[in-house]
Amino acid sequence: MSGDFQAPKGVSEYFPPRSGIFEKVVRKLEQVSLAANYHLIELPVFEDTQLFTRGVGESTDVVTKEMYTFEDRAGRSLTLRPEGTAGVIRSIIEHGLDRGQLPVKLYYRGPFFRAERPQAGRYRQFYQFGIEAVGLDDPYLDAEVISIAHRGFLSLGLKNFDLQITSLGDEESRSKHRVEFLKFLSTLDLDGETLEKVKKNPLRIFDDKRSEIQAQLKGAPVLLDFLTAESSMKFAAVKGALTELGIPFVVNTTMVRGLDYYTGTAFEFVHKGLGAQASIGGGGRYDRLMRTLGGQDLSGIGFGLGIDRIILALESEGLVDSSNENSKLNGGYLDLFIIPIGDAAKLRAINLIENVRKSGFVADMGFGDRSLKGAMKAADKLSARHVLVLGDAELQSGQGRLKRMSDGVEESITLDSIVATLKNSL
RNA sequence: GUGGGCGUAGCUCAGCUGGUAGAGCACCCGGUUGUGGUCCGGGAUGUCGCGGGUUCGAGCCCCGUCGCUCACCCCA
């Protein structure tokens, strides 16, 4: 530990070589989303506090104790976004994006903030990638959204994860179940704190990890058994589509989502190689959110994936080598490294490098005053494919020897043809 | 908010029952004059998280404090 400052508690930071993995994850997820016609929406990281209290739900932990809320200079209450969907919906309504063709298909990514106690895979500033399909209530759209997340994970090489799904049904389904469930809960022996929790959202009790609680929950009325015919058919359609797509899933009858706006389809991707925070992504349908925020009565569905956790998952599956700084996987390599000897050579080198870079190659040069041997070592450490030593002789003759580092073979070239030579070497 | 573990070189860590610090990796220089990867030689680096106490003497013991970490609650 050195220096006078350190990062605020619980934030994740990515610097090379790990930042290369971060970029790769985001790029892959963008790729699969774009391929399904979802497009980028870039939003502010802070919003009117009310957007979240109303949108996410007053009873959720996210709103009651995890928001970074502050006042701006005019006394407005603002909050660093704890999740992505509310902001997306706000923007859709505000800009009338839902007035054209439906569904509106968007993806977003960036930092999110929750004031929690940090632990493995849980940060106060964390990164999410998410998509939203808004405006249509079609179970096949649910399946599409899930399949995009699934495809994203597969394209990153992940294997050790499960997809869990359930249906939270519509309001009728839930109120019928709620009556029976509360009746059941009243027969249990629960402590005060748990009773409080149950009051806010009875289903939350399923998240309790204490075995004495879990034991009591055996035989509890299951929401899935109370689905209306319509909800039931939709859920069956989602499952059918997933099966058709060859996407394995397990129905989790006790799955609980942390945000209040979910209705109908809800899902979660759980990775087995992580700690207590095993969810690498989740989402679901929300029928009321848009109306709640003052928009049209349109349904939507989306997911949020935790980039930090995906990286942990990749590492747990041995899919990235964070110790190898220049692993190609991390994008760390150079097409050309020029070693100039003397100031005149540096001037020429910086010029040559510029041209090489313009042609799309990755190039760097030796700065400072290292020994030639030291500079060669540096080139090697940087995984340079070619090295060119530029000294007085080369400056005068305009000729040089391009060394291929893989086998040490040197090729005589004219300095002006270096780009062409590099192209030929591919 | 609650509980456990830990804080020693840039990184990973060692340091026995208290005697003022070490290894590996990384980094720099060199192994003759302008060419890397292996090998060999050399080198720099720490207020041992911070403050106080016990002691002739503390990285090792005690107290406090800050930080990190894992777990609970909850979630990405």
Side-chain angles (χ1 to χ4, degrees), chain A residues 108-175:
Chain A
Y108 62 86
R109 30 83 158 139
F112 293 85
F113 309 84
R114 289 183 201 171
E116 305 175 88
R117 266 300 247 285
Q119 70 188 71
R122 191 174 68 188
Y123 308 101
R124 290 184 171 180
Q125 173 172 327
F126 57 99
Y127 293 85
Q128 261 186 236
F129 180 94
I131 70 173
E132 308 291 347
V134 178
L136 292 180
D137 182 7
D138 182 334
Y140 297 96
L141 196 51
D142 298 25
E144 172 180 274
V145 166
I146 293 172
S147 75
I148 289 169
H150 182 78
R151 173 119 311 278
F153 292 140
L154 288 189
S155 77
L156 287 165
L158 287 176
K159 288 194 181 73
N160 197 15
F161 66 90
D162 278 335
L163 165 61
Q164 305 184 354
I165 65 168
T166 191
S167 172
L168 302 174
D170 52 22
E171 285 174 44
E172 188 187 339
S173 312
R174 278 199 304 284
S175 61

Side-chain angles (χ1 to χ4, degrees), chain A residues 29-78:
Chain A
L29 296 175
E30 281 181 335
Q31 219 172 302
V32 295
S33 302
L34 284 164
N37 197 33
Y38 288 72
H39 294 277
L40 174 68
I41 180 167
E42 191 65 40
L43 295 169
V45 297
F46 55 86
E47 297 269 5
D48 188 322
T49 299
Q50 290 283 315
L51 175 66
F52 301 116
T53 54
R54 217 202 283 173
V56 175
E58 305 259 13
S59 77
T60 61
D61 277 17
V62 169
V63 166
T64 55
K65 52 183 203 190
E66 296 171 3
M67 296 207 302
Y68 279 104
T69 297
F70 61 97
E71 275 190 12
D72 70 5
R73 291 175 186 235
R76 287 176 284 252
S77 180
L78 299 172

Side-chain angles (χ1 to χ4, degrees), chain A residues 16-18 20-21 320-333 380-383:
Chain A
R18 217 156 168 258
I21 300 160
V320 292
D321 183 4
S322 299
S323 63
N324 184 354
E325 301 185 23
N326 304 304
S327 155
K328 294 243 169 83
L329 199 75
N330 306 342
Y333 70 90
D380 187 53
K381 291 248 164 63
L382 294 169
S383 301

